[in-house]
């Protein structure tokens, strides 16, 4: 066996540390690109063209969009997506036509849309945006009673059964749907020729479940007009109360675009500060060094800073160093202090979580909270301020465990399965926020390694049981927020190991065998974004740096550091920086089939973690 030289591993770790030192900002944060789908770029092009603002940025975004078009005329969501992506193509085509690109230049895209089912097969968020700009008609009969927003949270069917990220988009979108709002301008181009009959007729696999909800809604629709007006007022307040200091809604560009039009639908003037602030907030999300120019859906600053600080400390950087102290100072300022929507399902819990983006103050999530707490643990040992923040965060995270034993992304017990039957795309992924293997594994890993809880602790027991119950037949786990089975399996295995589950346990052995079985000949691992769409592991022909690091780190956690598979994986990571394709492939997920994410930080964080854990294990043995 060609053994890895430990000095090569140390040299690579030192290189990562030096690179990251140079990239840290003065305030202690790392600001790295969060590259999502073309959705935000296209929404920006349409909105800012419509408002006749930032037209230089619009031109740059159009240029990038035209460069991304494939030979068959389509656009895709990730490299190697088979046959392109209809939703992405409809959106790119509409944005380019709206902003003045001649139809003759986009003939191939038009043919692609026609051959693949027309605009009515595109994602509903996209069709909403086209309807807002008068490019297609609103459905004449489709309505959502705004009184539904007023139903008390004590009722079995209420608006807060939806996930937080569904709610924040649905409120402005439903307002627009009910008002049938259209902003017709000289830019409006009719796309009716790309629509087929019954263009808004959504299909569902379970009509009876859907009827249960629509029957309730039709009863609400018959309530007096004053209650409907109260529903609109509630929607307006809902948006205002969740607007961040930069003017964006929940710090999401996608929701902010709809909010701008919702305000217009409510009669606001264009010059209204709420509309102007939202546009300024979205414009601030334009990043010119994101594989070219890109409108980030939000920043990922808290997430990146927490994970990088933690990875650097695992690599041996002292918590007393300037680099880590400065990151700690940044993270402490970003801890949430106010109660928000999460309290509806957890009324007796005190705030203490962290959000994803730099500006986020009212939408904490469990992954960021666990990541921030990992980064703060060492400093908390000898700094009382950090210790207090750490304790609050830890209490918050433990209290947010779901009844079923797992952890969801944002809130507690928002997993009412009936909502997954809604006849809209991605209802299964977006309408609810259930426990997932990646979240449960990551929280378990934090609690076991950094909060010293072991498998006999009540919360740990429940989480371990949840993971065992949700293991796939082939031994892997599905990860909701990363691609996909490699991510879920890494999170679950590192979590189980930290909780004290032995490598000899059947669930661990099955997962280890699966990881070894899907390794590539070059020593790396790779998984296609397509896994999220078909619900089974789809191999990627290239190995990616990030997914290789996940697999290697998971195997090391299970005591496999001397195995041939880990040795090969480490060798791959030592030479990986020259393989650009393996760095640029998206390994994060927002919405399966629609929104994949390339985190600029991931090719730093995860190889550094895997190499550091390998270095620690080998040195100690």
């Amino acid at each position: 066996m060609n053994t890895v030289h430990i000095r090569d591993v140390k040299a690579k770790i030192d290189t990562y540390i030096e690179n990251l030192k140079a990239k840290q900002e003065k305030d202690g944060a790392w600001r790295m690109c969060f590259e999502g789908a073309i959705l935000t770029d296209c929404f920006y092009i349409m909105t800012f063209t419509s408002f006749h603002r930032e037209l230089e940025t619009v031109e740059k975004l159009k240029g990038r969009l035209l460069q991304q078009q494939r030979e068959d005329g389509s656009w895709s969501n990730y490299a190697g997506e088979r046959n392109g992506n209809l939703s992405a193509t409809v959106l790119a085509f509409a944005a380019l036509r709206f902003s003045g690109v001649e139809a003759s230049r986009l003939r191939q895209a038009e043919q692609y849309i026609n051959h693949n089912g027309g605009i009515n097969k595109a994602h509903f968020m996209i069709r909403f945006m086209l309807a807002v700009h008068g490019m297609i008609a609103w459905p004449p009969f489709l309505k959502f009673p705004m009184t539904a927003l007023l139903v008390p949270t004590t009722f079995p069917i209420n608006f807060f059964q939806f996930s937080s990220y569904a709610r924040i988009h649905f409120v402005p979108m439903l307002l627009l749907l009910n008002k049938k709002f259209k902003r017709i301008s000289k830019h409006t181009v009719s796309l009716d020729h790309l629509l087929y009959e019954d263009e808004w007729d959504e299909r569902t696999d379970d009509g009876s479940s859907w009827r249960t909800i629509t029957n309730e809604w039709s009863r609400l629709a018959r309530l007096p007009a004053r209650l409907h007006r109260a529903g609109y007022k509630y929607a307006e307040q809902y948006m205002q109360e969740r607007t961040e200091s930069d003017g964006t809604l929940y710090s999401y560009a996608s929701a902010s675009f709809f909010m701008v039009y919702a305000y217009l639908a409510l009669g606001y003037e264009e010059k209204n500060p709420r509309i102007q602030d939202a546009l300024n907030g979205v414009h601030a999300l334009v990043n010119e060094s994101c594989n070219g120019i890109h409108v980030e859906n939000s920043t990922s600053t808290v997430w990146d800073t927490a994970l990088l600080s933690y990875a650097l400390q695992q690599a041996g950087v002292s918590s007393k160093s300037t680099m880590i102290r400065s990151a700690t100072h940044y993270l402490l300022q970003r801890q949430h202090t106010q109660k928000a929507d999460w309290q509806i399902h957890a009324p007796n819990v005190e705030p203490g979580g962290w959000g994803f983006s730099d500006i986020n103050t009212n939408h904490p999530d469990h992954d960021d909270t666990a990541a921030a707490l990992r980064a703060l643990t060492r400093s908390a040992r000898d700094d009382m301020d950090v210790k207090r923040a750490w304790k609050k965060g830890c209490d918050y995270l433990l209290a947010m465990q779901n009844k079923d034993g797992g952890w969801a992304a944002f809130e507690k017990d928002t997993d009412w399965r009936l909502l997954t039957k809604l006849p809209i795309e991605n209802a299964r992924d977006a309408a609810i926020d259930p426990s997932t293997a990646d979240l449960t594994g990551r929280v378990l890993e934090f609690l076991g390694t950094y909060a010293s809880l072991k498998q006999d602790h009540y919360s740990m027991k429940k989480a371990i049981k949840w993971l065992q119950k949700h293991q796939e037949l082939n031994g892997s786990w599905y990860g909701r927020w990363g691609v996909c089975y490699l991510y879920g399996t890494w999170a679950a295995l590192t979590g189980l190991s930290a909780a004290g589950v032995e490598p000899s346990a059947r669930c661990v052995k099955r997962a280890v065998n699966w990881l070894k079985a899907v390794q590539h000949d070059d020593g790396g691992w790779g998984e296609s974004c397509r896994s999220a769409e078909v619900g089974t592991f789809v191999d990627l022909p290239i190995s990616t740096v990030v997914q290789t690091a996940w697999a290697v780190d998971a195997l090391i956690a299970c005591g496999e550091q001397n195995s041939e598979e880990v040795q090969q994986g480490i060798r791959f990571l030592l030479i990986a920086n020259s393989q650009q394709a393996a760095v640029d492939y998206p390994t994060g997920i927002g919405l399966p089939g629609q929104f994949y994410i390339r985190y600029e930080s991931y090719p730093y964080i995860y190889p550094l973690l895997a190499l550091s854990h390998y270095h620690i294990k080998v040195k100690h043995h």
Side-chain angles (χ1 to χ4, degrees):
M1 183 167 72
N2 182 6
T3 313
V4 171
H5 289 296
I6 197 77
R7 66 173 180 272
D8 294 339
V9 175
K10 183 72 175 82
K12 185 76 170 177
I13 288 170
D14 290 343
T15 305
Y16 275 117
I17 293 170
E18 284 311 305
N19 283 344
L20 288 167
K21 201 173 187 173
K23 286 180 180 292
Q24 191 178 24
E25 305 267 346
K26 284 192 177 68
D27 66 351
W30 280 271
R31 288 182 171 79
M32 295 200 177
C33 169
F34 171 61
E35 186 186 355
I38 61 167
L39 179 131
T40 45
D41 295 346
C42 295
F43 279 14
Y44 184 102
I45 289 169
M46 294 174 82
T47 301
F48 283 79
T49 298
S50 175
F51 279 84
H52 205 74
R53 276 188 53 167
E54 314 293 353
L55 296 182
E56 197 180 316
T57 304
V58 167
E59 285 307 310
K60 287 182 187 171
L61 287 167
K62 281 163 67 176
R64 184 187 193 224
L65 206 50
L66 286 163
Q67 280 173 353
Q68 290 170 313
Q69 190 176 17
R70 296 170 16 142
E71 279 181 21
D72 64 356
S74 71
W75 276 261
S76 63
N77 280 330
Y78 53 89
E81 183 174 20
R82 296 199 309 197
N83 311 320
N85 184 283
L86 177 66
S87 289
T89 306
V90 166
L91 187 53
F93 174 78
L96 290 168
R97 289 289 289 117
F98 187 85
S99 57
V101 176
E102 290 299 320
S104 55
R105 273 194 77 181
L106 299 169
R107 192 71 67 215
Q108 258 190 305
E110 197 168 338
Q111 286 168 354
Y112 174 91
I113 294 166
N114 257 323
H115 291 156
N116 286 277
I119 286 176
N120 42 302
K121 289 274 179 9
H123 195 270
F124 74 95
M125 277 177 80
I126 293 165
R127 287 178 289 152
F128 266 64
M129 195 49 93
L130 300 192
V132 160
H133 288 100
M135 300 176 88
I136 62 173
W138 283 105
F141 307 114
L142 194 57
K143 270 202 119 168
F144 176 91
M146 297 304 279
T147 41
L149 302 181
L150 306 174
V151 174
T153 53
T154 48
F155 278 49
I157 299 179
N158 72 77
F159 188 57
F160 284 87
Q161 299 278 19
F162 284 98
S163 70
S164 57
Y165 44 95
R167 295 193 306 266
I168 208 65
H169 288 89
F170 282 177
V171 166
M173 288 173 76
L174 294 171
L175 202 153
L176 290 163
L177 170 71
N178 283 349
K179 295 267 189 190
K180 303 284 187 277
F181 175 79
K182 281 186 184 180
R183 182 177 165 86
I184 307 283
S185 69
K186 63 178 184 183
H187 305 286
T188 298
V189 178
S190 171
L191 299 183
D192 284 344
H193 62 293
L194 293 173
L195 274 177
Y196 303 139
E197 282 183 62
D198 299 325
E199 65 270 22
W200 293 84
D201 180 25
E202 303 288 4
R203 301 278 181 248
T204 177
D205 59 352
D206 188 343
S208 59
S209 300
W210 174 231
R211 274 195 296 279
T212 306
I213 298 173
T214 48
N215 287 345
E216 291 296 320
W217 283 350
S218 58
R219 281 162 56 190
L220 290 169
R222 294 195 289 274
L223 289 169
R226 65 185 168 77
L227 285 175
H228 290 288
R229 282 196 297 274
Y232 282 112
K233 192 74 198 155
Y234 179 88
E236 186 179 2
Q237 282 173 341
Y238 187 92
M239 293 186 295
Q240 290 174 0
E241 287 166 9
R242 288 155 187 81
T243 296
E244 291 289 3
S245 59
D246 67 344
T248 59
L249 186 56
Y250 254 24
S251 77
Y252 292 149
S254 51
S256 304
F257 287 115
F258 287 114
M259 176 177 73
V260 162
Y261 294 110
Y263 281 145
L264 290 176
L266 288 167
Y268 284 52
E269 296 292 324
E270 268 188 37
K271 292 278 181 276
N272 187 288
R274 288 196 179 274
I275 289 177
Q276 293 303 315
D277 287 352
L279 292 172
N280 291 336
V282 167
H283 179 64
L285 291 167
V286 174
N287 185 339
E288 300 235 8
S289 54
C290 216
N291 266 348
I293 189 169
H294 176 59
V295 182
E296 295 177 284
N297 195 42
S298 74
T299 62
S300 53
T301 318
V302 173
W303 179 239
D304 293 337
T305 303
L307 288 174
L308 285 164
S309 173
Y310 150 64
L312 285 161
Q313 290 175 74
Q314 291 297 88
V317 178
S318 164
S319 61
K320 293 183 171 64
S321 68
T322 307
M323 189 164 31
I324 301 304
R325 283 170 63 159
S326 149
T328 298
H329 178 70
Y330 171 83
L331 290 172
L332 287 178
Q333 291 179 308
R334 294 303 183 281
Q335 187 172 25
H336 290 195
T337 56
Q338 64 193 47
K339 288 203 166 191
D341 286 348
W342 51 264
Q343 72 184 311
I344 286 163
H345 296 281
N348 303 317
V349 178
E350 287 302 309
W354 275 264
F356 180 73
S357 69
D358 186 54
I359 202 77
N360 184 326
T361 62
N362 59 23
H363 193 217
D365 70 84
H366 308 143
D367 232 350
D368 274 283
T369 301
L373 291 170
R374 268 187 203 91
L376 298 177
T377 301
R378 289 177 178 88
S379 306
R381 288 173 191 152
D382 46 27
D383 182 321
M384 278 311 294
D385 287 342
V386 182
K387 190 172 187 170
R388 272 192 293 272
W390 187 92
K391 175 82 170 65
K392 275 170 71 174
C394 213
D395 290 345
Y396 176 82
L397 195 57
L398 270 169
M400 297 304 277
Q401 186 173 21
N402 284 338
K403 284 193 201 94
D404 63 11
W407 271 268
F410 294 101
E411 293 178 344
K412 182 175 179 168
D413 298 325
T414 46
D415 56 353
W416 192 41
R417 299 280 158 181
L418 184 60
L419 294 177
T420 64
K421 305 299 181 186
L422 280 169
I424 54 175
E425 303 91 335
N426 291 112
R428 192 169 59 85
D429 306 296
I432 61 171
D433 184 18
S435 298
T436 66
D438 44 331
L439 261 300
T440 306
R442 300 306 296 133
V443 175
L444 203 54
E445 194 276 335
F446 162 72
L447 293 171
T449 308
Y450 298 95
S452 305
L453 303 186
K454 288 302 172 217
Q455 57 182 318
D456 56 351
H457 184 279
Y458 175 69
S459 290
M460 303 292 270
K461 249 191 244 176
K462 279 172 66 182
I464 292 166
K465 256 194 195 146
W466 189 93
L467 282 171
Q468 288 170 335
K469 184 181 171 188
H470 289 86
Q471 190 172 20
E472 303 284 329
L473 288 174
N474 64 8
S476 68
W477 278 271
Y478 176 78
R480 162 65 180 85
W481 300 95
V483 180
C484 257
Y485 292 93
L486 288 173
Y487 185 64
T489 305
W490 161 72
L493 281 179
T494 51
L496 290 167
S497 166
V501 176
E502 292 296 329
S504 56
R506 187 167 174 267
C507 62
V508 174
K509 278 162 69 175
R510 287 172 62 218
V512 164
N513 290 338
W514 177 79
L515 279 174
K516 290 180 175 181
V518 296
Q519 186 175 20
H520 291 166
D521 291 341
D522 65 2
W525 278 261
E527 181 177 1
S528 169
C529 294
R530 190 167 154 73
S531 287
E533 293 152 33
V534 296
T536 183
F537 178 79
V538 179
D539 193 60
L540 188 68
I542 59 162
S543 298
T544 75
V545 176
V546 174
Q547 290 166 328
T548 300
W550 289 337
V552 167
D553 198 39
L555 290 172
I556 292 168
C558 302
E560 292 281 333
Q561 61 273 9
N562 295 320
S563 68
E564 177 61 21
E565 288 84 1
V566 168
Q567 297 293 310
Q568 286 183 321
I570 292 289
R571 279 197 291 274
F572 177 89
L573 291 176
L574 291 177
I575 58 159
N577 59 352
S578 58
Q579 301 175 14
Q580 197 53 37
V583 172
D584 283 343
Y585 192 80
T587 51
I589 299 181
L591 263 189
Q594 301 297 333
F595 201 98
Y596 296 98
I597 302 158
R598 186 186 70 84
Y599 288 93
E600 187 189 348
S601 62
Y602 278 20
Y604 293 96
I605 295 162
Y606 294 110
L608 181 55
L609 274 179
L611 292 167
S612 301
H613 290 153
Y614 177 79
H615 189 256
I616 292 163
K617 278 274 178 96
V618 171
K619 262 185 80 177
H620 285 182
H621 290 84

